[in-house]
Amino acid sequence: MNTDEKNGWTPFSHSTEAVRRVETAPETPQTQSDTYRLAFADSEFMTRRDLRAVRLQLELLKPEMALTERGIRSTVVLFGGARIPEPGGEAWAAKNEVQKKNLEANSRYYAEARKFAQLCSTYSSTTYNREFVVVTGGGPGVMEAGNRGAADVGAPTIGLNIVLPHEQAPNEYVTPELCFNFHYFAIRKMHFLMRAKALAIFPGGFGTMDETFETLTLIQTGRMERIPVLLFGRSFWEKAINFEFLAEQGVISPSDRELITFVDDAEEAWGVIKTFYELP
């Protein structure tokens, strides 16, 4: 697709043409000066602290445009531990024997996440992969399982990666043209929720809990519509977070517990979504 077909005809020259022309300009002291670079093509300028507001806008806009062009209207978000191995896999993150034993036992959640993503994506295919598209953080563990389950049934799947000091490559199951990378956590979180029709939350650590409570806060305060928030593994979550205690202490309303649905397997979770949205 050429530039005219993608962006519509205009009598003005496109910015891409300007970039090419600048690159072929004669080398002189003037053209080699930093100030001569086109502002939008100047990476040093674009990464200045003064340009933070512009970068935030770009990080919001780039994935939004790609998802809109793809026709994706809604998603199912999978959160969960990056350290959970697939069944039979190595508990690579374990620091001691207790962690190794527990991570290997929790590998069942990898299997359930993969199966859940298969169910979501099988239904998504009936909508030409526009609704209930699986999205994860694009990393290993539960995230990999979610993307893998979608790939198992030939469905597109989204990965929202983020640059970290211990950055890993995106998992191999993310659809390449739907694999995004972020610098700002806040914008990444927005993209997780902007199209979300359901959240499936598997056992995980600080990152999983951060994303879970942010979503619950948005729903609780009425800033986000009610959607199914599915916590996989009642035994894990009731030990990790004492929701009853929070209600007893009055820091949440008794009815706030109804924002969460505990599930233990993929079929049960998909059944909750089907009932909530009255899907066939």
Side-chain angles (χ1 to χ4, degrees), residues 225-242:
E225 287 189 23
R226 177 84 179 267
I227 64 172
V229 178
L230 311 169
L231 266 62
F232 272 77
R234 179 186 287 269
S235 61
F236 174 91
W237 287 110
E238 287 189 338
K239 287 182 179 179
I241 306 168
N242 193 333

Side-chain angles (χ1 to χ4, degrees), residues 106-126:
N106 285 332
S107 66
R108 68 187 181 91
Y109 292 112
Y110 183 108
E112 290 301 329
R114 183 177 178 181
K115 189 170 185 179
F116 176 70
Q118 291 171 354
L119 294 172
C120 295
S121 300
T122 298
Y123 178 81
S124 181
S125 67
T126 68

Side-chain angles (χ1 to χ4, degrees), residues 31-226:
T31 63
Q32 296 304 297
S33 169
D34 292 347
T35 57
Y36 185 75
R37 297 175 190 163
L38 289 166
F40 56 82
D42 185 346
S43 60
E44 291 183 13
F45 174 70
M46 288 298 295
T47 53
R48 286 179 55 164
R49 183 172 297 180
D50 316 65
L51 272 290
R52 179 177 290 157
V54 176
R55 292 194 301 274
L56 284 163
Q57 183 180 11
L58 291 173
E59 282 210 344
L60 182 63
L61 188 60
K62 182 179 178 181
E64 174 65 16
M65 290 175 65
L67 295 174
T68 299
E69 289 170 0
R70 184 79 178 227
I72 294 173
R73 295 194 292 254
S74 71
T75 58
V76 176
V77 183
L78 273 70
F79 292 143
R83 306 179 186 200
I84 294 177
E86 67 176 303
E90 178 187 1
W92 55 270
K95 304 301 183 185
N96 52 53
E97 285 303 312
V98 173
Q99 286 196 346
K100 182 176 185 294
K101 176 184 175 182
N102 288 329
L103 283 171
E104 288 175 352
N106 285 332
S107 66
R108 68 187 181 91
Y109 292 112
Y110 183 108
E112 290 301 329
R114 183 177 178 181
K115 189 170 185 179
F116 176 70
Q118 291 171 354
L119 294 172
C120 295
S121 300
T122 298
Y123 178 81
S124 181
S125 67
T126 68
T127 71
Y128 303 97
N129 297 308
R130 294 182 179 132
E131 304 281 356
F132 295 95
V133 178
V134 167
V135 56
T136 80
V142 167
M143 295 176 280
E144 176 186 284
N147 296 127
R148 186 176 183 179
D152 286 340
V153 297
T157 178
I158 303 165
L160 305 182
N161 291 81
I162 191 160
V163 178
L164 299 172
H166 50 279
E167 175 68 8
Q168 75 285 333
N171 71 67
E172 63 182 302
Y173 303 103
V174 178
T175 302
E177 59 270 27
L178 296 176
C179 186
F180 304 99
N181 203 12
F182 293 84
H183 173 62
Y184 297 104
F185 268 99
I187 302 301
R188 179 176 181 248
K189 288 178 178 179
M190 286 187 67
H191 277 293
F192 272 128
L193 298 182
M194 284 168 65
R195 288 174 167 79
K197 278 194 172 178
L199 262 69
I201 303 160
F202 295 79
F206 290 158
T208 300
M209 293 186 183
D210 172 44
E211 292 153 343
T212 300
F213 278 105
E214 186 157 50
T215 305
L216 290 174
T217 300
L218 289 169
I219 296 173
Q220 180 202 50
T221 56
R223 293 299 302 271
M224 177 176 171
E225 287 189 23
R226 177 84 179 267

